[in-house]
PDB file of all heavy atoms in Angstrom:
ATOM      1  N   LYS A 361     -39.201  -1.009  -6.949  1.00  0.00           N
ATOM      2  CA  LYS A 361     -39.771  -1.737  -8.089  1.00  0.00           C
ATOM      3  C   LYS A 361     -40.620  -0.817  -8.973  1.00  0.00           C
ATOM      4  O   LYS A 361     -41.216  -1.392 -10.019  1.00  0.00           O
ATOM      5  CB  LYS A 361     -40.472  -2.964  -7.560  1.00  0.00           C
ATOM      6  CG  LYS A 361     -39.579  -3.964  -6.853  1.00  0.00           C
ATOM      7  CD  LYS A 361     -40.199  -5.318  -6.811  1.00  0.00           C
ATOM      8  CE  LYS A 361     -39.085  -6.423  -6.466  1.00  0.00           C
ATOM      9  NZ  LYS A 361     -38.647  -6.169  -5.025  1.00  0.00           N
ATOM     10  N   ASP A 440     -24.081 -12.925  -8.664  1.00  0.00           N
ATOM     11  CA  ASP A 440     -24.317 -14.262  -8.114  1.00  0.00           C
ATOM     12  C   ASP A 440     -24.124 -14.179  -6.635  1.00  0.00           C
ATOM     13  O   ASP A 440     -24.826 -14.851  -5.819  1.00  0.00           O
ATOM     14  CB  ASP A 440     -23.288 -15.215  -8.721  1.00  0.00           C
ATOM     15  CG  ASP A 440     -23.642 -15.686 -10.106  1.00  0.00           C
ATOM     16  OD1 ASP A 440     -24.763 -15.419 -10.462  1.00  0.00           O
ATOM     17  OD2 ASP A 440     -22.828 -16.218 -10.806  1.00  0.00           O
ATOM     18  N   TYR A 441     -23.186 -13.426  -6.062  1.00  0.00           N
ATOM     19  CA  TYR A 441     -22.895 -13.413  -4.702  1.00  0.00           C
ATOM     20  C   TYR A 441     -24.005 -12.878  -3.816  1.00  0.00           C
ATOM     21  O   TYR A 441     -24.142 -13.222  -2.627  1.00  0.00           O
ATOM     22  CB  TYR A 441     -21.561 -12.803  -4.228  1.00  0.00           C
ATOM     23  CG  TYR A 441     -21.400 -11.321  -4.668  1.00  0.00           C
ATOM     24  CD1 TYR A 441     -21.922 -10.264  -3.991  1.00  0.00           C
ATOM     25  CD2 TYR A 441     -20.639 -11.034  -5.853  1.00  0.00           C
ATOM     26  CE1 TYR A 441     -21.657  -8.971  -4.349  1.00  0.00           C
ATOM     27  CE2 TYR A 441     -20.410  -9.677  -6.141  1.00  0.00           C
ATOM     28  CZ  TYR A 441     -20.939  -8.704  -5.465  1.00  0.00           C
ATOM     29  OH  TYR A 441     -20.719  -7.363  -5.841  1.00  0.00           O
ATOM     30  N   VAL A 443     -27.125 -13.779  -4.603  1.00  0.00           N
ATOM     31  CA  VAL A 443     -27.998 -14.882  -4.429  1.00  0.00           C
ATOM     32  C   VAL A 443     -27.490 -15.693  -3.337  1.00  0.00           C
ATOM     33  O   VAL A 443     -28.269 -16.236  -2.540  1.00  0.00           O
ATOM     34  CB  VAL A 443     -27.943 -15.742  -5.767  1.00  0.00           C
ATOM     35  CG1 VAL A 443     -28.798 -17.016  -5.599  1.00  0.00           C
ATOM     36  CG2 VAL A 443     -28.478 -14.896  -6.955  1.00  0.00           C
ATOM     37  N   LEU A 444     -26.120 -15.870  -3.250  1.00  0.00           N
ATOM     38  CA  LEU A 444     -25.645 -16.741  -2.132  1.00  0.00           C
ATOM     39  C   LEU A 444     -25.857 -16.099  -0.773  1.00  0.00           C
ATOM     40  O   LEU A 444     -26.281 -16.761   0.149  1.00  0.00           O
ATOM     41  CB  LEU A 444     -24.070 -16.835  -2.278  1.00  0.00           C
ATOM     42  CG  LEU A 444     -23.564 -17.827  -1.118  1.00  0.00           C
ATOM     43  CD1 LEU A 444     -23.188 -19.147  -1.655  1.00  0.00           C
ATOM     44  CD2 LEU A 444     -22.435 -17.221  -0.458  1.00  0.00           C
ATOM     45  N   ARG A 446     -28.420 -14.207  -0.107  1.00  0.00           N
ATOM     46  CA  ARG A 446     -29.895 -14.523   0.131  1.00  0.00           C
ATOM     47  C   ARG A 446     -30.083 -15.969   0.623  1.00  0.00           C
ATOM     48  O   ARG A 446     -30.835 -16.184   1.537  1.00  0.00           O
ATOM     49  CB  ARG A 446     -30.666 -14.231  -1.082  1.00  0.00           C
ATOM     50  CG  ARG A 446     -30.697 -12.860  -1.501  1.00  0.00           C
ATOM     51  CD  ARG A 446     -32.173 -12.534  -2.174  1.00  0.00           C
ATOM     52  NE  ARG A 446     -32.272 -11.127  -2.269  1.00  0.00           N
ATOM     53  CZ  ARG A 446     -32.054 -10.385  -3.430  1.00  0.00           C
ATOM     54  NH1 ARG A 446     -31.647 -11.153  -4.456  1.00  0.00           N
ATOM     55  NH2 ARG A 446     -32.134  -9.083  -3.435  1.00  0.00           N
ATOM     56  N   SER A 447     -29.280 -16.883   0.051  1.00  0.00           N
ATOM     57  CA  SER A 447     -29.490 -18.231   0.373  1.00  0.00           C
ATOM     58  C   SER A 447     -29.049 -18.566   1.856  1.00  0.00           C
ATOM     59  O   SER A 447     -29.377 -19.603   2.379  1.00  0.00           O
ATOM     60  CB  SER A 447     -28.754 -19.136  -0.555  1.00  0.00           C
ATOM     61  OG  SER A 447     -27.379 -19.269  -0.186  1.00  0.00           O
ATOM     62  N   LYS A 448     -28.443 -17.605   2.457  1.00  0.00           N
ATOM     63  CA  LYS A 448     -28.067 -17.805   3.864  1.00  0.00           C
ATOM     64  C   LYS A 448     -29.174 -17.174   4.833  1.00  0.00           C
ATOM     65  O   LYS A 448     -29.045 -17.295   5.900  1.00  0.00           O
ATOM     66  CB  LYS A 448     -26.693 -16.995   4.164  1.00  0.00           C
ATOM     67  CG  LYS A 448     -25.570 -17.581   3.360  1.00  0.00           C
ATOM     68  CD  LYS A 448     -24.217 -16.942   3.835  1.00  0.00           C
ATOM     69  CE  LYS A 448     -23.971 -15.598   3.396  1.00  0.00           C
ATOM     70  NZ  LYS A 448     -22.522 -15.188   3.626  1.00  0.00           N
ATOM     71  N   GLY A 449     -30.133 -16.709   4.185  1.00  0.00           N
ATOM     72  CA  GLY A 449     -31.210 -16.197   5.044  1.00  0.00           C
ATOM     73  C   GLY A 449     -30.931 -14.713   5.536  1.00  0.00           C
ATOM     74  O   GLY A 449     -31.439 -14.235   6.562  1.00  0.00           O
ATOM     75  N   THR A 450     -30.079 -14.062   4.814  1.00  0.00           N
ATOM     76  CA  THR A 450     -29.745 -12.692   5.152  1.00  0.00           C
ATOM     77  C   THR A 450     -30.862 -11.696   4.754  1.00  0.00           C
ATOM     78  O   THR A 450     -31.446 -11.807   3.718  1.00  0.00           O
ATOM     79  CB  THR A 450     -28.468 -12.309   4.344  1.00  0.00           C
ATOM     80  OG1 THR A 450     -27.416 -13.295   4.501  1.00  0.00           O
ATOM     81  CG2 THR A 450     -27.882 -10.899   4.845  1.00  0.00           C
ATOM     82  N   ARG A 454     -29.761  -5.885   5.207  1.00  0.00           N
ATOM     83  CA  ARG A 454     -28.391  -6.207   5.398  1.00  0.00           C
ATOM     84  C   ARG A 454     -27.668  -6.468   4.093  1.00  0.00           C
ATOM     85  O   ARG A 454     -26.484  -6.210   3.920  1.00  0.00           O
ATOM     86  CB  ARG A 454     -28.244  -7.460   6.313  1.00  0.00           C
ATOM     87  CG  ARG A 454     -26.878  -7.603   6.918  1.00  0.00           C
ATOM     88  CD  ARG A 454     -26.695  -8.844   7.913  1.00  0.00           C
ATOM     89  NE  ARG A 454     -25.426  -9.415   7.724  1.00  0.00           N
ATOM     90  CZ  ARG A 454     -24.330  -8.923   8.254  1.00  0.00           C
ATOM     91  NH1 ARG A 454     -24.454  -8.062   9.251  1.00  0.00           N
ATOM     92  NH2 ARG A 454     -23.192  -9.480   8.107  1.00  0.00           N
ATOM     93  N   HIS A 459     -23.587  -6.063   1.694  1.00  0.00           N
ATOM     94  CA  HIS A 459     -23.050  -6.758   0.511  1.00  0.00           C
ATOM     95  C   HIS A 459     -23.030  -5.853  -0.737  1.00  0.00           C
ATOM     96  O   HIS A 459     -22.305  -6.082  -1.680  1.00  0.00           O
ATOM     97  CB  HIS A 459     -23.835  -7.995   0.153  1.00  0.00           C
ATOM     98  CG  HIS A 459     -23.729  -9.040   1.101  1.00  0.00           C
ATOM     99  ND1 HIS A 459     -22.881 -10.118   0.887  1.00  0.00           N
ATOM    100  CD2 HIS A 459     -24.253  -9.422   2.256  1.00  0.00           C
ATOM    101  CE1 HIS A 459     -22.792 -10.963   1.855  1.00  0.00           C
ATOM    102  NE2 HIS A 459     -23.756 -10.525   2.743  1.00  0.00           N
ATOM    103  N   LYS A 462     -20.795  -1.079  -0.540  1.00  0.00           N
ATOM    104  CA  LYS A 462     -19.447  -1.011  -0.717  1.00  0.00           C
ATOM    105  C   LYS A 462     -18.906  -1.238  -2.093  1.00  0.00           C
ATOM    106  O   LYS A 462     -18.130  -0.570  -2.734  1.00  0.00           O
ATOM    107  CB  LYS A 462     -18.690  -2.002   0.170  1.00  0.00           C
ATOM    108  CG  LYS A 462     -17.214  -1.650   0.504  1.00  0.00           C
ATOM    109  CD  LYS A 462     -16.768  -2.473   1.719  1.00  0.00           C
ATOM    110  CE  LYS A 462     -15.306  -2.846   1.571  1.00  0.00           C
ATOM    111  NZ  LYS A 462     -14.884  -3.813   2.465  1.00  0.00           N
ATOM    112  N   ASN A 463     -19.371  -2.353  -2.776  1.00  0.00           N
ATOM    113  CA  ASN A 463     -19.143  -2.725  -4.175  1.00  0.00           C
ATOM    114  C   ASN A 463     -19.732  -1.797  -5.083  1.00  0.00           C
ATOM    115  O   ASN A 463     -19.004  -1.437  -6.079  1.00  0.00           O
ATOM    116  CB  ASN A 463     -19.575  -4.132  -4.414  1.00  0.00           C
ATOM    117  CG  ASN A 463     -18.871  -5.079  -3.665  1.00  0.00           C
ATOM    118  OD1 ASN A 463     -17.578  -5.031  -3.327  1.00  0.00           O
ATOM    119  ND2 ASN A 463     -19.455  -6.196  -3.354  1.00  0.00           N
ATOM    120  N   PRO A 538     -10.357  -4.831  -1.751  1.00  0.00           N
ATOM    121  CA  PRO A 538      -9.264  -5.527  -1.071  1.00  0.00           C
ATOM    122  C   PRO A 538      -8.133  -6.090  -1.970  1.00  0.00           C
ATOM    123  O   PRO A 538      -7.007  -6.141  -1.586  1.00  0.00           O
ATOM    124  CB  PRO A 538      -9.992  -6.777  -0.440  1.00  0.00           C
ATOM    125  CG  PRO A 538     -11.271  -6.879  -1.162  1.00  0.00           C
ATOM    126  CD  PRO A 538     -11.609  -5.491  -1.553  1.00  0.00           C
ATOM    127  N   GLN A 539      -8.552  -6.250  -3.253  1.00  0.00           N
ATOM    128  CA  GLN A 539      -7.592  -6.738  -4.235  1.00  0.00           C
ATOM    129  C   GLN A 539      -6.362  -5.724  -4.381  1.00  0.00           C
ATOM    130  O   GLN A 539      -5.189  -6.066  -4.475  1.00  0.00           O
ATOM    131  CB  GLN A 539      -8.190  -7.001  -5.513  1.00  0.00           C
ATOM    132  CG  GLN A 539      -7.357  -7.829  -6.507  1.00  0.00           C
ATOM    133  CD  GLN A 539      -8.122  -8.939  -7.101  1.00  0.00           C
ATOM    134  OE1 GLN A 539      -9.335  -8.893  -7.068  1.00  0.00           O
ATOM    135  NE2 GLN A 539      -7.488  -9.818  -7.797  1.00  0.00           N
ATOM    136  N   LEU A 542      -4.348  -5.166  -0.855  1.00  0.00           N
ATOM    137  CA  LEU A 542      -3.412  -6.194  -0.425  1.00  0.00           C
ATOM    138  C   LEU A 542      -2.281  -6.277  -1.336  1.00  0.00           C
ATOM    139  O   LEU A 542      -1.267  -6.976  -1.049  1.00  0.00           O
ATOM    140  CB  LEU A 542      -4.072  -7.597  -0.172  1.00  0.00           C
ATOM    141  CG  LEU A 542      -5.090  -7.495   0.835  1.00  0.00           C
ATOM    142  CD1 LEU A 542      -5.972  -8.838   0.724  1.00  0.00           C
ATOM    143  CD2 LEU A 542      -4.475  -7.493   2.208  1.00  0.00           C
TER     144      LEU A 542
ATOM    145  N   LEU B 171     -35.353 -17.989  -4.857  1.00  0.00           N
ATOM    146  CA  LEU B 171     -34.060 -17.239  -5.166  1.00  0.00           C
ATOM    147  C   LEU B 171     -34.019 -16.916  -6.680  1.00  0.00           C
ATOM    148  O   LEU B 171     -32.861 -16.839  -7.185  1.00  0.00           O
ATOM    149  CB  LEU B 171     -32.876 -18.000  -4.659  1.00  0.00           C
ATOM    150  CG  LEU B 171     -32.652 -18.120  -3.247  1.00  0.00           C
ATOM    151  CD1 LEU B 171     -31.539 -19.113  -2.929  1.00  0.00           C
ATOM    152  CD2 LEU B 171     -32.513 -16.759  -2.561  1.00  0.00           C
ATOM    153  N   ARG B 209     -33.865 -20.494   4.859  1.00  0.00           N
ATOM    154  CA  ARG B 209     -32.580 -20.348   4.059  1.00  0.00           C
ATOM    155  C   ARG B 209     -31.453 -20.448   4.878  1.00  0.00           C
ATOM    156  O   ARG B 209     -31.346 -19.604   5.743  1.00  0.00           O
ATOM    157  CB  ARG B 209     -32.652 -19.096   3.212  1.00  0.00           C
ATOM    158  CG  ARG B 209     -33.545 -19.095   2.028  1.00  0.00           C
ATOM    159  CD  ARG B 209     -33.650 -17.703   1.449  1.00  0.00           C
ATOM    160  NE  ARG B 209     -34.703 -17.523   0.534  1.00  0.00           N
ATOM    161  CZ  ARG B 209     -35.178 -16.248   0.194  1.00  0.00           C
ATOM    162  NH1 ARG B 209     -34.723 -15.213   0.768  1.00  0.00           N
ATOM    163  NH2 ARG B 209     -36.220 -16.225  -0.671  1.00  0.00           N
ATOM    164  N   GLY B 210     -30.534 -21.257   4.569  1.00  0.00           N
ATOM    165  CA  GLY B 210     -29.267 -21.282   5.416  1.00  0.00           C
ATOM    166  C   GLY B 210     -29.398 -22.055   6.679  1.00  0.00           C
ATOM    167  O   GLY B 210     -28.407 -22.420   7.224  1.00  0.00           O
ATOM    168  N   PHE B 217     -23.622 -23.754  -4.997  1.00  0.00           N
ATOM    169  CA  PHE B 217     -23.845 -23.174  -6.297  1.00  0.00           C
ATOM    170  C   PHE B 217     -22.796 -23.608  -7.239  1.00  0.00           C
ATOM    171  O   PHE B 217     -21.740 -24.255  -6.872  1.00  0.00           O
ATOM    172  CB  PHE B 217     -23.847 -21.595  -6.237  1.00  0.00           C
ATOM    173  CG  PHE B 217     -24.990 -21.058  -5.563  1.00  0.00           C
ATOM    174  CD1 PHE B 217     -24.835 -20.789  -4.174  1.00  0.00           C
ATOM    175  CD2 PHE B 217     -26.195 -20.864  -6.131  1.00  0.00           C
ATOM    176  CE1 PHE B 217     -25.901 -20.330  -3.441  1.00  0.00           C
ATOM    177  CE2 PHE B 217     -27.267 -20.446  -5.407  1.00  0.00           C
ATOM    178  CZ  PHE B 217     -27.116 -20.083  -4.095  1.00  0.00           C
ATOM    179  N   THR B 222     -17.867 -16.768  -8.647  1.00  0.00           N
ATOM    180  CA  THR B 222     -18.681 -15.587  -8.721  1.00  0.00           C
ATOM    181  C   THR B 222     -19.659 -15.539  -7.595  1.00  0.00           C
ATOM    182  O   THR B 222     -20.422 -14.553  -7.274  1.00  0.00           O
ATOM    183  CB  THR B 222     -19.592 -15.514  -9.975  1.00  0.00           C
ATOM    184  OG1 THR B 222     -20.250 -16.736 -10.143  1.00  0.00           O
ATOM    185  CG2 THR B 222     -18.646 -15.384 -11.221  1.00  0.00           C
ATOM    186  N   PHE B 223     -19.784 -16.612  -6.773  1.00  0.00           N
ATOM    187  CA  PHE B 223     -20.776 -16.671  -5.679  1.00  0.00           C
ATOM    188  C   PHE B 223     -20.318 -16.143  -4.394  1.00  0.00           C
ATOM    189  O   PHE B 223     -21.064 -16.165  -3.387  1.00  0.00           O
ATOM    190  CB  PHE B 223     -21.389 -18.096  -5.640  1.00  0.00           C
ATOM    191  CG  PHE B 223     -22.525 -18.303  -6.658  1.00  0.00           C
ATOM    192  CD1 PHE B 223     -22.162 -18.882  -7.900  1.00  0.00           C
ATOM    193  CD2 PHE B 223     -23.797 -17.850  -6.393  1.00  0.00           C
ATOM    194  CE1 PHE B 223     -23.160 -19.041  -8.830  1.00  0.00           C
ATOM    195  CE2 PHE B 223     -24.825 -18.107  -7.256  1.00  0.00           C
ATOM    196  CZ  PHE B 223     -24.473 -18.665  -8.516  1.00  0.00           C
ATOM    197  N   ASN B 225     -18.692 -12.993  -2.171  1.00  0.00           N
ATOM    198  CA  ASN B 225     -18.665 -11.560  -2.221  1.00  0.00           C
ATOM    199  C   ASN B 225     -17.065 -11.144  -2.223  1.00  0.00           C
ATOM    200  O   ASN B 225     -16.522 -11.445  -1.383  1.00  0.00           O
ATOM    201  CB  ASN B 225     -19.309 -10.776  -1.143  1.00  0.00           C
ATOM    202  CG  ASN B 225     -19.511  -9.434  -1.331  1.00  0.00           C
ATOM    203  OD1 ASN B 225     -18.575  -8.708  -1.885  1.00  0.00           O
ATOM    204  ND2 ASN B 225     -20.566  -8.831  -0.828  1.00  0.00           N
ATOM    205  N   PRO B 226     -16.723 -10.449  -3.393  1.00  0.00           N
ATOM    206  CA  PRO B 226     -15.165 -10.240  -3.454  1.00  0.00           C
ATOM    207  C   PRO B 226     -14.635  -9.223  -2.374  1.00  0.00           C
ATOM    208  O   PRO B 226     -13.458  -9.303  -2.122  1.00  0.00           O
ATOM    209  CB  PRO B 226     -15.101  -9.538  -4.886  1.00  0.00           C
ATOM    210  CG  PRO B 226     -16.419  -9.061  -5.211  1.00  0.00           C
ATOM    211  CD  PRO B 226     -17.342 -10.049  -4.460  1.00  0.00           C
ATOM    212  N   SER B 227     -15.606  -8.420  -1.826  1.00  0.00           N
ATOM    213  CA  SER B 227     -14.993  -7.517  -0.859  1.00  0.00           C
ATOM    214  C   SER B 227     -15.243  -7.914   0.657  1.00  0.00           C
ATOM    215  O   SER B 227     -15.025  -7.038   1.561  1.00  0.00           O
ATOM    216  CB  SER B 227     -15.663  -6.182  -1.152  1.00  0.00           C
ATOM    217  OG  SER B 227     -16.972  -6.097  -0.959  1.00  0.00           O
ATOM    218  N   GLN B 233     -18.108 -14.032   5.721  1.00  0.00           N
ATOM    219  CA  GLN B 233     -19.197 -14.660   4.865  1.00  0.00           C
ATOM    220  C   GLN B 233     -19.735 -16.019   5.516  1.00  0.00           C
ATOM    221  O   GLN B 233     -20.850 -16.377   5.275  1.00  0.00           O
ATOM    222  CB  GLN B 233     -18.697 -14.856   3.409  1.00  0.00           C
ATOM    223  CG  GLN B 233     -18.273 -13.586   2.806  1.00  0.00           C
ATOM    224  CD  GLN B 233     -18.068 -13.669   1.292  1.00  0.00           C
ATOM    225  OE1 GLN B 233     -18.993 -14.137   0.586  1.00  0.00           O
ATOM    226  NE2 GLN B 233     -16.979 -13.137   0.800  1.00  0.00           N
ATOM    227  N   GLU B 236     -21.689 -14.867   8.829  1.00  0.00           N
ATOM    228  CA  GLU B 236     -22.986 -14.349   8.554  1.00  0.00           C
ATOM    229  C   GLU B 236     -24.167 -15.347   8.664  1.00  0.00           C
ATOM    230  O   GLU B 236     -25.138 -15.092   9.198  1.00  0.00           O
ATOM    231  CB  GLU B 236     -23.043 -13.661   7.168  1.00  0.00           C
ATOM    232  CG  GLU B 236     -24.273 -12.906   6.817  1.00  0.00           C
ATOM    233  CD  GLU B 236     -24.206 -12.123   5.611  1.00  0.00           C
ATOM    234  OE1 GLU B 236     -23.797 -12.675   4.557  1.00  0.00           O
ATOM    235  OE2 GLU B 236     -24.588 -10.979   5.644  1.00  0.00           O
ATOM    236  N   ASN B 240     -26.980 -15.356  11.308  1.00  0.00           N
ATOM    237  CA  ASN B 240     -28.474 -15.047  10.823  1.00  0.00           C
ATOM    238  C   ASN B 240     -29.343 -15.924  11.692  1.00  0.00           C
ATOM    239  O   ASN B 240     -30.609 -15.672  11.793  1.00  0.00           O
ATOM    240  CB  ASN B 240     -28.505 -15.434   9.419  1.00  0.00           C
ATOM    241  CG  ASN B 240     -28.139 -14.299   8.504  1.00  0.00           C
ATOM    242  OD1 ASN B 240     -27.940 -13.144   8.989  1.00  0.00           O
ATOM    243  ND2 ASN B 240     -27.871 -14.602   7.245  1.00  0.00           N
ATOM    244  N   HIS B 241     -28.885 -17.147  12.157  1.00  0.00           N
ATOM    245  CA  HIS B 241     -29.777 -18.074  12.628  1.00  0.00           C
ATOM    246  C   HIS B 241     -29.586 -18.487  14.068  1.00  0.00           C
ATOM    247  O   HIS B 241     -30.290 -19.278  14.607  1.00  0.00           O
ATOM    248  CB  HIS B 241     -29.782 -19.258  11.778  1.00  0.00           C
ATOM    249  CG  HIS B 241     -30.149 -19.100  10.241  1.00  0.00           C
ATOM    250  ND1 HIS B 241     -31.440 -18.826   9.979  1.00  0.00           N
ATOM    251  CD2 HIS B 241     -29.431 -18.976   9.225  1.00  0.00           C
ATOM    252  CE1 HIS B 241     -31.462 -18.596   8.662  1.00  0.00           C
ATOM    253  NE2 HIS B 241     -30.166 -18.598   8.144  1.00  0.00           N
ATOM    254  N   TYR B 272      -9.544 -12.913   1.555  1.00  0.00           N
ATOM    255  CA  TYR B 272     -10.590 -12.676   0.594  1.00  0.00           C
ATOM    256  C   TYR B 272     -10.672 -13.648  -0.451  1.00  0.00           C
ATOM    257  O   TYR B 272      -9.738 -14.292  -0.718  1.00  0.00           O
ATOM    258  CB  TYR B 272     -10.385 -11.234   0.044  1.00  0.00           C
ATOM    259  CG  TYR B 272     -10.477 -10.098   1.001  1.00  0.00           C
ATOM    260  CD1 TYR B 272      -9.438  -9.625   1.700  1.00  0.00           C
ATOM    261  CD2 TYR B 272     -11.767  -9.490   1.144  1.00  0.00           C
ATOM    262  CE1 TYR B 272      -9.492  -8.589   2.599  1.00  0.00           C
ATOM    263  CE2 TYR B 272     -11.904  -8.432   2.095  1.00  0.00           C
ATOM    264  CZ  TYR B 272     -10.774  -8.024   2.766  1.00  0.00           C
ATOM    265  OH  TYR B 272     -10.948  -7.017   3.598  1.00  0.00           O
ATOM    266  N   PHE B 274     -10.537 -13.743  -3.587  1.00  0.00           N
ATOM    267  CA  PHE B 274      -9.577 -13.701  -4.715  1.00  0.00           C
ATOM    268  C   PHE B 274      -8.277 -14.429  -4.346  1.00  0.00           C
ATOM    269  O   PHE B 274      -7.428 -14.795  -5.196  1.00  0.00           O
ATOM    270  CB  PHE B 274      -9.320 -12.340  -5.339  1.00  0.00           C
ATOM    271  CG  PHE B 274      -8.496 -11.493  -4.469  1.00  0.00           C
ATOM    272  CD1 PHE B 274      -7.131 -11.399  -4.642  1.00  0.00           C
ATOM    273  CD2 PHE B 274      -9.087 -10.662  -3.452  1.00  0.00           C
ATOM    274  CE1 PHE B 274      -6.336 -10.617  -3.870  1.00  0.00           C
ATOM    275  CE2 PHE B 274      -8.328  -9.860  -2.728  1.00  0.00           C
ATOM    276  CZ  PHE B 274      -6.986  -9.791  -2.852  1.00  0.00           C
ATOM    277  N   ILE B 288     -20.409 -22.910   4.087  1.00  0.00           N
ATOM    278  CA  ILE B 288     -21.449 -22.012   4.405  1.00  0.00           C
ATOM    279  C   ILE B 288     -22.832 -22.775   4.404  1.00  0.00           C
ATOM    280  O   ILE B 288     -23.762 -22.662   5.196  1.00  0.00           O
ATOM    281  CB  ILE B 288     -21.669 -20.894   3.268  1.00  0.00           C
ATOM    282  CG1 ILE B 288     -20.331 -19.931   3.544  1.00  0.00           C
ATOM    283  CG2 ILE B 288     -22.829 -20.078   3.365  1.00  0.00           C
ATOM    284  CD1 ILE B 288     -20.217 -18.901   2.467  1.00  0.00           C
TER     285      ILE B 288
END
Side-chain angles (χ1 to χ4, degrees):
Chain A
K361 292 203 169 66
D440 284 343
Y441 57 81
V443 179
L444 184 106
R446 290 211 171 99
S447 83
K448 298 192 280 194
T450 309
R454 201 182 140 85
H459 288 267
K462 198 167 150 194
N463 293 327
Q539 194 132 13
L542 292 170
Chain B
L171 291 176
R209 292 173 188 155
F217 296 92
T222 60
F223 278 93
N225 191 326
S227 62
Q233 300 193 53
E236 183 172 49
N240 279 345
H241 303 287
Y272 290 91
F274 74 90
I288 290 173

